[in-house]
Amino acid sequence: MDFKNSNISDCKIITLPKIHNTLGNITAIENLNDVPFNVQRIYYLYDVPSNEERGGHAHYELEQFIIAVSGSFDIILKDGVTEKAVTLNRPNNALHVVPGLWREIANFSGGSICLVLASEKYDENDYIRDYNKYLDLKHDS
Ligand code: TYD
Protein backbone atom coordinates (compact mmCIF):
# COMPACT_ATOMS: atom_id res chain seq x y z
CA MET A 1 0.00 0.00 0.00
CA ASP A 2 1.70 3.22 -1.06
CA PHE A 3 1.33 6.62 0.54
CA LYS A 4 -0.25 8.44 -2.40
CA ASN A 5 -2.81 5.86 -3.50
CA SER A 6 -4.13 4.66 -0.17
CA ASN A 7 -7.61 5.72 0.86
CA ILE A 8 -10.18 5.27 3.59
CA SER A 9 -11.64 2.10 2.09
CA ASP A 10 -8.25 0.42 2.68
CA CYS A 11 -8.71 0.88 6.45
CA LYS A 12 -10.87 -1.97 7.63
CA ILE A 13 -12.18 -3.16 10.96
CA ILE A 14 -10.71 -6.59 11.64
CA THR A 15 -12.52 -8.90 14.06
CA LEU A 16 -9.92 -10.59 16.25
CA PRO A 17 -10.42 -14.07 17.69
CA LYS A 18 -12.19 -14.25 21.05
CA ILE A 19 -11.96 -17.24 23.37
CA HIS A 20 -15.03 -17.02 25.55
CA ASN A 21 -16.02 -18.90 28.68
CA THR A 22 -17.80 -18.17 31.94
CA LEU A 23 -14.58 -16.71 33.38
CA GLY A 24 -14.35 -14.06 30.69
CA ASN A 25 -12.69 -13.59 27.33
CA ILE A 26 -9.21 -13.89 25.89
CA THR A 27 -8.11 -12.30 22.65
CA ALA A 28 -4.71 -13.42 21.38
CA ILE A 29 -2.97 -11.72 18.46
CA GLU A 30 -0.30 -13.69 16.65
CA ASN A 31 2.20 -11.77 14.58
CA LEU A 32 1.64 -12.23 10.81
CA ASN A 33 -1.35 -14.53 11.46
CA ASP A 34 -3.86 -12.11 12.95
CA VAL A 35 -1.93 -9.00 11.86
CA PRO A 36 -1.10 -8.54 8.15
CA PHE A 37 2.29 -6.90 8.86
CA ASN A 38 5.31 -7.62 11.00
CA VAL A 39 4.77 -5.98 14.40
CA GLN A 40 7.89 -4.11 15.49
CA ARG A 41 6.43 -1.94 18.23
CA ILE A 42 3.54 -1.90 20.66
CA TYR A 43 2.41 1.21 22.51
CA TYR A 44 -0.70 2.33 24.31
CA LEU A 45 -2.38 5.59 25.16
CA TYR A 46 -4.00 5.90 28.57
CA ASP A 47 -5.02 8.57 31.07
CA VAL A 48 -6.09 10.75 28.12
CA PRO A 49 -8.31 13.59 29.38
CA SER A 50 -11.81 13.13 27.93
CA ASN A 51 -11.85 16.45 26.06
CA GLU A 52 -8.44 15.98 24.41
CA GLU A 53 -7.64 14.88 20.88
CA ARG A 54 -4.55 12.95 19.85
CA GLY A 55 -3.16 11.83 16.54
CA GLY A 56 -3.32 14.73 14.11
CA HIS A 57 -0.74 13.28 11.73
CA ALA A 58 -0.11 10.84 8.90
CA HIS A 59 2.70 8.39 8.19
CA TYR A 60 4.68 7.69 5.03
CA GLU A 61 5.29 4.01 5.78
CA LEU A 62 3.81 3.01 9.12
CA GLU A 63 0.92 0.56 9.30
CA GLN A 64 -1.03 0.20 12.51
CA PHE A 65 -3.67 -1.91 14.22
CA ILE A 66 -5.55 0.28 16.70
CA ILE A 67 -7.57 -1.47 19.42
CA ALA A 68 -9.76 -0.13 22.24
CA VAL A 69 -8.66 -2.71 24.83
CA SER A 70 -10.67 -0.76 27.39
CA GLY A 71 -13.37 1.91 26.97
CA SER A 72 -14.00 3.69 23.71
CA PHE A 73 -12.78 6.45 21.40
CA ASP A 74 -13.28 7.64 17.85
CA ILE A 75 -10.72 7.51 15.05
CA ILE A 76 -11.26 10.18 12.41
CA LEU A 77 -9.64 9.13 9.13
CA LYS A 78 -8.96 11.48 6.22
CA ASP A 79 -7.41 10.58 2.86
CA GLY A 80 -7.38 14.01 1.24
CA VAL A 81 -10.72 13.44 -0.52
CA THR A 82 -13.10 12.10 2.07
CA GLU A 83 -13.25 11.50 5.79
CA LYS A 84 -14.84 8.96 8.12
CA ALA A 85 -15.21 8.51 11.87
CA VAL A 86 -14.89 5.01 13.32
CA THR A 87 -15.86 4.27 16.92
CA LEU A 88 -13.75 1.60 18.58
CA ASN A 89 -15.32 0.12 21.70
CA ARG A 90 -14.67 -3.63 21.63
CA PRO A 91 -11.35 -5.27 22.65
CA ASN A 92 -11.68 -7.81 19.82
CA ASN A 93 -11.99 -5.22 17.06
CA ALA A 94 -8.93 -3.67 15.44
CA LEU A 95 -8.85 -0.82 12.95
CA HIS A 96 -6.16 -1.41 10.34
CA VAL A 97 -4.73 1.98 9.39
CA VAL A 98 -2.61 1.84 6.25
CA PRO A 99 0.15 4.34 5.32
CA GLY A 100 -0.91 7.69 3.88
CA LEU A 101 -3.99 8.29 6.01
CA TRP A 102 -4.46 11.33 8.21
CA ARG A 103 -5.83 10.27 11.60
CA GLU A 104 -7.15 11.98 14.70
CA ILE A 105 -8.29 10.22 17.87
CA ALA A 106 -11.02 11.86 19.94
CA ASN A 107 -13.82 11.30 22.45
CA PHE A 108 -11.83 9.09 24.80
CA SER A 109 -14.08 7.61 27.47
CA GLY A 110 -12.80 7.69 31.05
CA GLY A 111 -10.24 4.96 31.69
CA SER A 112 -9.97 4.01 28.04
CA ILE A 113 -6.82 2.39 26.70
CA CYS A 114 -5.81 2.67 23.05
CA LEU A 115 -3.46 -0.17 22.13
CA VAL A 116 -1.48 0.24 18.92
CA LEU A 117 0.45 -2.48 17.07
CA ALA A 118 2.86 -0.83 14.68
CA SER A 119 4.85 -2.10 11.72
CA GLU A 120 7.95 0.03 12.42
CA LYS A 121 9.92 1.28 15.38
CA TYR A 122 9.38 4.93 16.32
CA ASP A 123 10.77 7.29 13.68
CA GLU A 124 9.85 10.97 13.73
CA ASN A 125 10.92 11.22 10.05
CA ASP A 126 7.98 8.99 9.13
CA TYR A 127 5.47 11.55 10.49
CA ILE A 128 3.66 14.28 8.56
CA ARG A 129 2.29 16.60 11.22
CA ASP A 130 1.13 19.50 9.01
CA TYR A 131 -2.27 18.91 7.38
CA ASN A 132 -1.62 21.26 4.44
CA LYS A 133 1.67 19.51 3.75
CA TYR A 134 -0.19 16.19 3.91
CA LEU A 135 -2.75 17.40 1.34
CA ASP A 136 0.04 18.67 -0.93
CA LEU A 137 1.86 15.32 -0.75
CA LYS A 138 -1.34 13.38 -1.37
CA HIS A 139 -2.44 15.44 -4.36
CA ASP A 140 0.94 16.19 -5.90
CA SER A 141 1.12 14.29 -9.19
P1 TYD B 1 2.60 11.04 18.89
O1 TYD B 1 2.75 9.85 18.01
O2 TYD B 1 2.61 12.39 18.23
O3 TYD B 1 1.27 10.90 19.77
P2 TYD B 1 -0.27 10.91 19.36
O4 TYD B 1 -0.36 10.64 17.91
O5 TYD B 1 -0.87 9.85 20.18
O6 TYD B 1 -0.84 12.24 19.73
O7 TYD B 1 3.73 10.98 20.01
C1 TYD B 1 3.75 11.87 21.10
C2 TYD B 1 5.18 11.93 21.63
O8 TYD B 1 5.60 10.64 22.08
C3 TYD B 1 6.19 12.39 20.57
O9 TYD B 1 7.09 13.29 21.20
C4 TYD B 1 6.92 11.15 20.19
C5 TYD B 1 6.78 10.26 21.40
N1 TYD B 1 6.70 8.83 21.02
C6 TYD B 1 7.80 8.01 21.17
O10 TYD B 1 8.88 8.44 21.63
N2 TYD B 1 7.70 6.70 20.81
C7 TYD B 1 6.56 6.18 20.32
O11 TYD B 1 6.49 4.96 20.00
C8 TYD B 1 5.42 7.05 20.15
C9 TYD B 1 4.12 6.53 19.59
C10 TYD B 1 5.53 8.37 20.53
Side-chain angles (χ1 to χ4, degrees):
M1 187 62 56
D2 68 291
F3 175 90
K4 270 182 71 73
N5 294 312
S6 61
N7 62 54
I8 281 172
S9 64
D10 299 315
C11 298
K12 299 204 165 47
I13 294 268
I14 312 290
T15 303
L16 298 165
K18 181 166 80 173
I19 302 151
H20 170 76
N21 68 29
T22 52
L23 300 177
N25 299 320
I26 299 176
T27 288
I29 304 170
E30 295 191 355
N31 200 21
L32 301 173
N33 282 339
D34 302 296
V35 193
F37 54 81
N38 187 34
V39 177
Q40 298 221 50
R41 176 169 52 119
I42 295 170
Y43 63 92
Y44 38 99
L45 310 177
Y46 55 100
D47 292 347
V48 180
S50 58
N51 54 347
E52 293 296 340
E53 286 193 11
R54 302 203 55 130
H57 55 73
H59 289 280
Y60 291 104
E61 304 259 332
L62 191 74
E63 271 185 80
Q64 293 164 305
F65 255 32
I66 304 180
I67 302 165
V69 288
S70 183
S72 67
F73 45 81
D74 296 334
I75 313 274
I76 297 97
L77 293 171
K78 300 180 184 177
D79 60 13
V81 176
T82 183
E83 70 176 77
K84 179 180 173 183
V86 178
T87 299
L88 290 178
N89 56 12
R90 291 295 305 150
N92 69 322
N93 281 347
L95 178 65
H96 182 199
V97 181
V98 300
L101 270 285
W102 187 268
R103 92 289 313 276
E104 291 149 17
I105 315 178
N107 299 322
F108 288 87
S109 68
S112 58
I113 300 174
C114 173
L115 176 69
V116 182
L117 313 185
S119 64
E120 310 288 339
K121 296 201 169 78
Y122 173 72
D123 177 7
E124 186 59 35
N125 293 323
D126 191 59
Y127 280 75
I128 302 145
R129 294 189 182 274
D130 180 292
Y131 189 61
N132 288 324
K133 179 180 174 188
Y134 168 73
L135 291 177
D136 287 348
L137 288 165
K138 219 44 191 167
H139 294 140
D140 184 31
S141 51

Short mmCIF file of all heavy atoms in Angstrom, two decimals, residues 21-77:
data_model
loop_
_atom_site.label_atom_id
_atom_site.label_comp_id
_atom_site.label_asym_id
_atom_site.label_seq_id
_atom_site.Cartn_x
_atom_site.Cartn_y
_atom_site.Cartn_z
N ASN A 21 -15.40 -17.94 27.76
CA ASN A 21 -16.02 -18.90 28.68
C ASN A 21 -16.59 -18.13 29.86
O ASN A 21 -16.56 -16.89 29.87
CB ASN A 21 -15.06 -20.04 29.07
CG ASN A 21 -13.93 -19.56 29.94
OD1 ASN A 21 -14.05 -18.59 30.68
ND2 ASN A 21 -12.80 -20.25 29.85
N THR A 22 -17.10 -18.85 30.83
CA THR A 22 -17.80 -18.17 31.94
C THR A 22 -16.85 -17.29 32.76
O THR A 22 -17.30 -16.45 33.52
CB THR A 22 -18.46 -19.20 32.87
OG1 THR A 22 -17.46 -20.15 33.25
CG2 THR A 22 -19.62 -19.90 32.19
N LEU A 23 -15.55 -17.51 32.62
CA LEU A 23 -14.58 -16.71 33.38
C LEU A 23 -14.14 -15.45 32.63
O LEU A 23 -13.27 -14.73 33.11
CB LEU A 23 -13.35 -17.57 33.71
CG LEU A 23 -13.64 -18.81 34.54
CD1 LEU A 23 -12.37 -19.63 34.75
CD2 LEU A 23 -14.23 -18.42 35.90
N GLY A 24 -14.72 -15.26 31.44
CA GLY A 24 -14.35 -14.06 30.69
C GLY A 24 -13.78 -14.41 29.34
O GLY A 24 -13.90 -15.54 28.86
N ASN A 25 -13.17 -13.44 28.71
CA ASN A 25 -12.69 -13.59 27.33
C ASN A 25 -11.17 -13.44 27.24
O ASN A 25 -10.56 -12.73 28.04
CB ASN A 25 -13.32 -12.52 26.44
CG ASN A 25 -14.82 -12.62 26.41
OD1 ASN A 25 -15.38 -13.71 26.37
ND2 ASN A 25 -15.48 -11.47 26.44
N ILE A 26 -10.62 -14.09 26.25
CA ILE A 26 -9.21 -13.89 25.89
C ILE A 26 -9.16 -13.57 24.40
O ILE A 26 -9.80 -14.27 23.60
CB ILE A 26 -8.36 -15.16 26.13
CG1 ILE A 26 -8.36 -15.57 27.60
CG2 ILE A 26 -6.93 -14.95 25.64
CD1 ILE A 26 -7.61 -16.88 27.87
N THR A 27 -8.43 -12.54 24.06
CA THR A 27 -8.11 -12.30 22.65
C THR A 27 -6.59 -12.38 22.51
O THR A 27 -5.86 -11.69 23.22
CB THR A 27 -8.63 -10.92 22.19
OG1 THR A 27 -10.05 -11.00 22.10
CG2 THR A 27 -8.06 -10.54 20.82
N ALA A 28 -6.15 -13.26 21.63
CA ALA A 28 -4.71 -13.42 21.38
C ALA A 28 -4.44 -12.94 19.95
O ALA A 28 -5.24 -13.19 19.04
CB ALA A 28 -4.32 -14.89 21.53
N ILE A 29 -3.33 -12.25 19.78
CA ILE A 29 -2.97 -11.72 18.46
C ILE A 29 -1.61 -12.28 18.10
O ILE A 29 -0.61 -12.01 18.80
CB ILE A 29 -2.93 -10.18 18.47
CG1 ILE A 29 -4.27 -9.62 18.96
CG2 ILE A 29 -2.58 -9.65 17.09
CD1 ILE A 29 -4.24 -8.13 19.24
N GLU A 30 -1.56 -13.09 17.07
CA GLU A 30 -0.30 -13.69 16.65
C GLU A 30 0.26 -12.89 15.48
O GLU A 30 -0.45 -12.63 14.49
CB GLU A 30 -0.51 -15.16 16.26
CG GLU A 30 -0.93 -16.00 17.46
CD GLU A 30 -0.89 -17.49 17.17
OE1 GLU A 30 -0.63 -17.88 16.01
OE2 GLU A 30 -1.13 -18.27 18.11
N ASN A 31 1.53 -12.54 15.62
CA ASN A 31 2.20 -11.77 14.58
C ASN A 31 2.12 -12.50 13.23
O ASN A 31 2.33 -13.71 13.15
CB ASN A 31 3.67 -11.58 14.97
CG ASN A 31 4.31 -10.43 14.24
OD1 ASN A 31 3.62 -9.54 13.75
ND2 ASN A 31 5.63 -10.43 14.17
N LEU A 32 1.74 -11.76 12.20
CA LEU A 32 1.64 -12.23 10.81
C LEU A 32 0.49 -13.22 10.57
O LEU A 32 0.18 -13.51 9.43
CB LEU A 32 2.96 -12.84 10.32
CG LEU A 32 4.16 -11.89 10.37
CD1 LEU A 32 5.45 -12.61 10.03
CD2 LEU A 32 3.95 -10.71 9.44
N ASN A 33 -0.14 -13.73 11.65
CA ASN A 33 -1.35 -14.53 11.46
C ASN A 33 -2.59 -13.65 11.58
O ASN A 33 -3.42 -13.60 10.69
CB ASN A 33 -1.44 -15.66 12.49
CG ASN A 33 -0.53 -16.82 12.13
OD1 ASN A 33 -0.14 -16.97 10.98
ND2 ASN A 33 -0.18 -17.62 13.11
N ASP A 34 -2.69 -12.96 12.72
CA ASP A 34 -3.86 -12.11 12.95
C ASP A 34 -3.59 -10.66 12.54
O ASP A 34 -4.52 -9.86 12.49
CB ASP A 34 -4.25 -12.15 14.43
CG ASP A 34 -4.54 -13.58 14.88
OD1 ASP A 34 -5.50 -14.16 14.37
OD2 ASP A 34 -3.77 -14.12 15.70
N VAL A 35 -2.32 -10.34 12.29
CA VAL A 35 -1.93 -9.00 11.86
C VAL A 35 -1.25 -9.14 10.50
O VAL A 35 -0.35 -9.97 10.36
CB VAL A 35 -0.90 -8.36 12.83
CG1 VAL A 35 -0.74 -6.88 12.58
CG2 VAL A 35 -1.26 -8.63 14.26
N PRO A 36 -1.65 -8.34 9.50
CA PRO A 36 -1.10 -8.54 8.15
C PRO A 36 0.25 -7.84 7.92
O PRO A 36 0.64 -7.62 6.78
CB PRO A 36 -2.18 -7.94 7.25
CG PRO A 36 -2.81 -6.89 8.09
CD PRO A 36 -2.73 -7.36 9.51
N PHE A 37 0.94 -7.48 8.99
CA PHE A 37 2.29 -6.90 8.86
C PHE A 37 3.12 -7.39 10.03
O PHE A 37 2.57 -7.92 11.00
CB PHE A 37 2.23 -5.36 8.80
CG PHE A 37 1.47 -4.71 9.94
CD1 PHE A 37 2.08 -4.50 11.18
CD2 PHE A 37 0.16 -4.30 9.78
CE1 PHE A 37 1.40 -3.90 12.22
CE2 PHE A 37 -0.54 -3.71 10.82
CZ PHE A 37 0.07 -3.51 12.05
N ASN A 38 4.42 -7.18 9.93
CA ASN A 38 5.31 -7.62 11.00
C ASN A 38 5.32 -6.56 12.11
O ASN A 38 5.71 -5.42 11.88
CB ASN A 38 6.72 -7.81 10.42
CG ASN A 38 7.66 -8.44 11.42
OD1 ASN A 38 7.25 -9.26 12.24
ND2 ASN A 38 8.91 -8.01 11.38
N VAL A 39 4.87 -6.95 13.29
CA VAL A 39 4.77 -5.98 14.40
C VAL A 39 6.16 -5.73 14.99
O VAL A 39 6.82 -6.65 15.45
CB VAL A 39 3.80 -6.50 15.49
CG1 VAL A 39 3.77 -5.53 16.67
CG2 VAL A 39 2.41 -6.72 14.92
N GLN A 40 6.57 -4.47 14.95
CA GLN A 40 7.89 -4.11 15.49
C GLN A 40 7.80 -3.28 16.76
O GLN A 40 8.80 -3.01 17.40
CB GLN A 40 8.67 -3.31 14.45
CG GLN A 40 8.95 -4.07 13.19
CD GLN A 40 10.36 -3.81 12.71
OE1 GLN A 40 11.32 -3.91 13.47
NE2 GLN A 40 10.47 -3.42 11.46
N ARG A 41 6.58 -2.83 17.06
CA ARG A 41 6.43 -1.94 18.23
C ARG A 41 5.00 -2.03 18.71
O ARG A 41 4.07 -2.16 17.92
CB ARG A 41 6.76 -0.50 17.81
CG ARG A 41 6.56 0.55 18.87
CD ARG A 41 7.17 1.88 18.41
NE ARG A 41 6.70 2.25 17.10
CZ ARG A 41 6.00 3.35 16.82
NH1 ARG A 41 5.77 4.24 17.75
NH2 ARG A 41 5.60 3.59 15.60
N ILE A 42 4.86 -1.97 20.03
CA ILE A 42 3.54 -1.90 20.66
C ILE A 42 3.55 -0.70 21.60
O ILE A 42 4.51 -0.51 22.35
CB ILE A 42 3.25 -3.18 21.47
CG1 ILE A 42 3.17 -4.39 20.54
CG2 ILE A 42 1.96 -3.05 22.28
CD1 ILE A 42 3.12 -5.72 21.26
N TYR A 43 2.52 0.14 21.52
CA TYR A 43 2.41 1.21 22.51
C TYR A 43 0.94 1.40 22.85
O TYR A 43 0.06 0.90 22.15
CB TYR A 43 3.07 2.50 22.03
CG TYR A 43 2.48 3.16 20.81
CD1 TYR A 43 1.49 4.12 20.93
CD2 TYR A 43 2.93 2.82 19.54
CE1 TYR A 43 0.96 4.75 19.82
CE2 TYR A 43 2.40 3.43 18.42
CZ TYR A 43 1.41 4.40 18.56
OH TYR A 43 0.88 5.01 17.46
N TYR A 44 0.69 2.10 23.94
CA TYR A 44 -0.70 2.33 24.31
C TYR A 44 -0.86 3.70 24.93
O TYR A 44 0.03 4.23 25.60
CB TYR A 44 -1.23 1.23 25.24
CG TYR A 44 -0.29 0.68 26.27
CD1 TYR A 44 -0.34 1.14 27.60
CD2 TYR A 44 0.65 -0.29 25.93
CE1 TYR A 44 0.54 0.62 28.54
CE2 TYR A 44 1.52 -0.80 26.88
CZ TYR A 44 1.46 -0.34 28.18
OH TYR A 44 2.34 -0.84 29.11
N LEU A 45 -2.01 4.29 24.63
CA LEU A 45 -2.38 5.59 25.16
C LEU A 45 -3.34 5.36 26.31
O LEU A 45 -4.28 4.57 26.19
CB LEU A 45 -3.09 6.43 24.08
CG LEU A 45 -2.41 6.55 22.70
CD1 LEU A 45 -3.31 7.34 21.76
CD2 LEU A 45 -1.06 7.21 22.84
N TYR A 46 -3.12 6.05 27.41
CA TYR A 46 -4.00 5.90 28.57
C TYR A 46 -3.95 7.20 29.37
O TYR A 46 -3.11 8.06 29.13
CB TYR A 46 -3.57 4.70 29.42
CG TYR A 46 -2.13 4.71 29.87
CD1 TYR A 46 -1.78 5.12 31.16
CD2 TYR A 46 -1.10 4.35 29.00
CE1 TYR A 46 -0.46 5.14 31.58
CE2 TYR A 46 0.22 4.38 29.40
CZ TYR A 46 0.54 4.76 30.68
OH TYR A 46 1.85 4.80 31.07
N ASP A 47 -4.89 7.33 30.28
CA ASP A 47 -5.02 8.57 31.07
C ASP A 47 -5.19 9.79 30.16
O ASP A 47 -4.70 10.88 30.48
CB ASP A 47 -3.81 8.79 32.00
CG ASP A 47 -3.74 7.77 33.12
OD1 ASP A 47 -4.75 7.06 33.35
OD2 ASP A 47 -2.69 7.69 33.78
N VAL A 48 -5.86 9.61 29.02
CA VAL A 48 -6.09 10.75 28.12
C VAL A 48 -7.30 11.53 28.65
O VAL A 48 -8.37 10.94 28.84
CB VAL A 48 -6.38 10.28 26.67
CG1 VAL A 48 -6.60 11.46 25.76
CG2 VAL A 48 -5.23 9.40 26.16
N PRO A 49 -7.16 12.82 28.92
CA PRO A 49 -8.31 13.59 29.38
C PRO A 49 -9.44 13.53 28.35
O PRO A 49 -9.20 13.54 27.14
CB PRO A 49 -7.75 15.02 29.52
CG PRO A 49 -6.27 14.83 29.67
CD PRO A 49 -5.93 13.62 28.85
N SER A 50 -10.70 13.45 28.83
CA SER A 50 -11.81 13.13 27.93
C SER A 50 -12.05 14.19 26.86
O SER A 50 -12.64 13.90 25.84
CB SER A 50 -13.08 12.90 28.75
OG SER A 50 -13.35 14.05 29.51
N ASN A 51 -11.61 15.42 27.08
CA ASN A 51 -11.85 16.45 26.06
C ASN A 51 -10.65 16.65 25.13
O ASN A 51 -10.64 17.58 24.33
CB ASN A 51 -12.25 17.78 26.72
CG ASN A 51 -11.22 18.21 27.76
OD1 ASN A 51 -10.36 17.41 28.13
ND2 ASN A 51 -11.29 19.44 28.21
N GLU A 52 -9.65 15.80 25.24
CA GLU A 52 -8.44 15.98 24.41
C GLU A 52 -8.51 15.14 23.14
O GLU A 52 -9.17 14.11 23.10
CB GLU A 52 -7.18 15.59 25.21
CG GLU A 52 -6.87 16.51 26.36
CD GLU A 52 -6.53 17.93 25.94
OE1 GLU A 52 -6.17 18.15 24.76
OE2 GLU A 52 -6.66 18.84 26.79
N GLU A 53 -7.79 15.63 22.13
CA GLU A 53 -7.64 14.88 20.88
C GLU A 53 -6.18 14.53 20.69
O GLU A 53 -5.30 15.33 21.00
CB GLU A 53 -8.10 15.72 19.68
CG GLU A 53 -9.58 15.86 19.62
CD GLU A 53 -10.05 16.42 18.28
OE1 GLU A 53 -9.24 16.49 17.33
OE2 GLU A 53 -11.23 16.77 18.21
N ARG A 54 -5.93 13.35 20.16
CA ARG A 54 -4.55 12.95 19.85
C ARG A 54 -4.46 12.64 18.36
O ARG A 54 -5.42 12.81 17.63
CB ARG A 54 -4.15 11.74 20.70
CG ARG A 54 -4.28 12.01 22.19
CD ARG A 54 -3.40 11.08 22.96
NE ARG A 54 -2.03 11.15 22.52
CZ ARG A 54 -1.00 11.30 23.34
NH1 ARG A 54 -1.19 11.41 24.63
NH2 ARG A 54 0.23 11.31 22.87
N GLY A 55 -3.33 12.12 17.97
CA GLY A 55 -3.16 11.83 16.54
C GLY A 55 -2.81 13.13 15.84
O GLY A 55 -1.86 13.80 16.20
N GLY A 56 -3.61 13.49 14.83
CA GLY A 56 -3.32 14.73 14.11
C GLY A 56 -2.04 14.60 13.30
O GLY A 56 -1.19 15.50 13.31
N HIS A 57 -1.91 13.47 12.60
CA HIS A 57 -0.74 13.28 11.73
C HIS A 57 -1.00 12.13 10.77
O HIS A 57 -1.99 11.40 10.91
CB HIS A 57 0.53 13.03 12.56
CG HIS A 57 0.43 11.90 13.52
ND1 HIS A 57 0.43 10.58 13.12
CD2 HIS A 57 0.31 11.86 14.86
CE1 HIS A 57 0.33 9.81 14.17
NE2 HIS A 57 0.24 10.56 15.25
N ALA A 58 -0.09 11.99 9.81
CA ALA A 58 -0.11 10.84 8.90
C ALA A 58 1.29 10.24 8.89
O ALA A 58 2.24 10.83 9.43
CB ALA A 58 -0.50 11.29 7.49
N HIS A 59 1.40 9.06 8.30
CA HIS A 59 2.70 8.39 8.19
C HIS A 59 2.99 8.02 6.74
O HIS A 59 2.08 7.66 5.99
CB HIS A 59 2.72 7.11 9.04
CG HIS A 59 2.75 7.37 10.51
ND1 HIS A 59 3.90 7.69 11.18
CD2 HIS A 59 1.76 7.38 11.44
CE1 HIS A 59 3.64 7.88 12.46
NE2 HIS A 59 2.34 7.70 12.64
N TYR A 60 4.25 8.11 6.37
CA TYR A 60 4.68 7.69 5.03
C TYR A 60 4.62 6.17 4.89
O TYR A 60 4.20 5.64 3.86
CB TYR A 60 6.11 8.14 4.75
CG TYR A 60 6.30 9.62 4.58
CD1 TYR A 60 6.85 10.40 5.59
CD2 TYR A 60 5.96 10.25 3.38
CE1 TYR A 60 7.05 11.76 5.41
CE2 TYR A 60 6.15 11.61 3.19
CZ TYR A 60 6.70 12.36 4.22
OH TYR A 60 6.89 13.70 4.05
N GLU A 61 5.09 5.46 5.91
CA GLU A 61 5.29 4.01 5.78
C GLU A 61 4.53 3.20 6.82
O GLU A 61 4.21 2.04 6.58
CB GLU A 61 6.79 3.68 5.99
CG GLU A 61 7.75 4.40 5.08
CD GLU A 61 8.21 3.52 3.94
OE1 GLU A 61 8.24 2.31 4.13
OE2 GLU A 61 8.53 4.08 2.87
N LEU A 62 4.30 3.79 7.97
CA LEU A 62 3.81 3.01 9.12
C LEU A 62 2.40 2.46 8.90
O LEU A 62 1.51 3.17 8.46
CB LEU A 62 3.80 3.89 10.37
CG LEU A 62 3.57 3.15 11.69
CD1 LEU A 62 4.82 2.38 12.09
CD2 LEU A 62 3.19 4.14 12.79
N GLU A 63 2.24 1.19 9.23
CA GLU A 63 0.92 0.56 9.30
C GLU A 63 0.61 0.30 10.76
O GLU A 63 1.52 -0.04 11.54
CB GLU A 63 0.93 -0.80 8.58
CG GLU A 63 0.61 -0.72 7.13
CD GLU A 63 0.53 -2.12 6.53
OE1 GLU A 63 -0.50 -2.79 6.67
OE2 GLU A 63 1.53 -2.52 5.91
N GLN A 64 -0.65 0.37 11.11
CA GLN A 64 -1.03 0.20 12.51
C GLN A 64 -2.32 -0.61 12.64
O GLN A 64 -3.20 -0.54 11.78
CB GLN A 64 -1.25 1.56 13.18
CG GLN A 64 0.03 2.38 13.32
CD GLN A 64 -0.28 3.83 13.63
OE1 GLN A 64 -1.01 4.48 12.90
NE2 GLN A 64 0.28 4.34 14.70
N PHE A 65 -2.41 -1.35 13.73
CA PHE A 65 -3.67 -1.91 14.22
C PHE A 65 -4.00 -1.12 15.48
O PHE A 65 -3.17 -1.06 16.40
CB PHE A 65 -3.48 -3.38 14.62
CG PHE A 65 -4.05 -4.37 13.65
CD1 PHE A 65 -4.08 -4.12 12.29
CD2 PHE A 65 -4.53 -5.59 14.11
CE1 PHE A 65 -4.59 -5.06 11.41
CE2 PHE A 65 -5.04 -6.54 13.24
CZ PHE A 65 -5.08 -6.27 11.89
N ILE A 66 -5.16 -0.51 15.53
CA ILE A 66 -5.55 0.28 16.70
C ILE A 66 -6.72 -0.44 17.37
O ILE A 66 -7.72 -0.78 16.72
CB ILE A 66 -5.95 1.71 16.29
CG1 ILE A 66 -4.79 2.36 15.52
CG2 ILE A 66 -6.33 2.53 17.52
CD1 ILE A 66 -5.07 3.79 15.06
N ILE A 67 -6.59 -0.66 18.68
CA ILE A 67 -7.57 -1.47 19.42
C ILE A 67 -7.97 -0.74 20.70
O ILE A 67 -7.10 -0.26 21.45
CB ILE A 67 -6.96 -2.84 19.79
CG1 ILE A 67 -6.52 -3.58 18.53
CG2 ILE A 67 -7.95 -3.69 20.60
CD1 ILE A 67 -5.59 -4.76 18.79
N ALA A 68 -9.27 -0.65 20.96
CA ALA A 68 -9.76 -0.13 22.24
C ALA A 68 -9.78 -1.31 23.21
O ALA A 68 -10.79 -2.01 23.32
CB ALA A 68 -11.14 0.49 22.08
N VAL A 69 -8.68 -1.57 23.90
CA VAL A 69 -8.66 -2.71 24.83
C VAL A 69 -9.48 -2.41 26.07
O VAL A 69 -9.89 -3.33 26.79
CB VAL A 69 -7.23 -3.16 25.22
CG1 VAL A 69 -6.54 -3.86 24.06
CG2 VAL A 69 -6.38 -2.03 25.73
N SER A 70 -9.73 -1.14 26.33
CA SER A 70 -10.67 -0.76 27.39
C SER A 70 -11.35 0.54 26.97
O SER A 70 -10.72 1.41 26.37
CB SER A 70 -9.91 -0.57 28.71
OG SER A 70 -10.81 -0.26 29.75
N GLY A 71 -12.65 0.66 27.27
CA GLY A 71 -13.37 1.91 26.97
C GLY A 71 -13.58 2.12 25.48
O GLY A 71 -13.64 1.16 24.70
N SER A 72 -13.70 3.37 25.11
CA SER A 72 -14.00 3.69 23.71
C SER A 72 -13.39 5.02 23.30
O SER A 72 -13.06 5.87 24.14
CB SER A 72 -15.52 3.74 23.50
OG SER A 72 -16.06 4.84 24.20
N PHE A 73 -13.23 5.18 22.00
CA PHE A 73 -12.78 6.45 21.40
C PHE A 73 -13.10 6.39 19.93
O PHE A 73 -13.47 5.33 19.39
CB PHE A 73 -11.26 6.68 21.64
CG PHE A 73 -10.42 5.48 21.38
CD1 PHE A 73 -10.04 5.13 20.10
CD2 PHE A 73 -10.01 4.66 22.43
CE1 PHE A 73 -9.27 4.01 19.86
CE2 PHE A 73 -9.24 3.53 22.20
CZ PHE A 73 -8.88 3.21 20.92
N ASP A 74 -13.01 7.55 19.29
CA ASP A 74 -13.28 7.64 17.85
C ASP A 74 -11.98 7.89 17.10
O ASP A 74 -11.15 8.69 17.54
CB ASP A 74 -14.23 8.82 17.55
CG ASP A 74 -15.60 8.63 18.18
OD1 ASP A 74 -15.99 7.47 18.41
OD2 ASP A 74 -16.26 9.65 18.43
N ILE A 75 -11.83 7.22 15.96
CA ILE A 75 -10.72 7.51 15.05
C ILE A 75 -11.31 8.25 13.86
O ILE A 75 -12.22 7.73 13.19
CB ILE A 75 -10.06 6.23 14.52
CG1 ILE A 75 -9.77 5.23 15.63
CG2 ILE A 75 -8.81 6.56 13.70
CD1 ILE A 75 -8.50 5.40 16.35
N ILE A 76 -10.82 9.44 13.59
CA ILE A 76 -11.26 10.18 12.41
C ILE A 76 -10.17 10.00 11.35
O ILE A 76 -9.00 10.33 11.58
CB ILE A 76 -11.48 11.67 12.72
CG1 ILE A 76 -12.60 11.82 13.75
CG2 ILE A 76 -11.84 12.47 11.47
CD1 ILE A 76 -12.15 11.96 15.16
N LEU A 77 -10.58 9.41 10.23
CA LEU A 77 -9.64 9.13 9.13
C LEU A 77 -9.90 10.10 7.99
O LEU A 77 -11.06 10.37 7.65
CB LEU A 77 -9.84 7.71 8.61
CG LEU A 77 -9.50 6.56 9.55
CD1 LEU A 77 -9.97 5.24 8.95
CD2 LEU A 77 -8.01 6.52 9.85
#
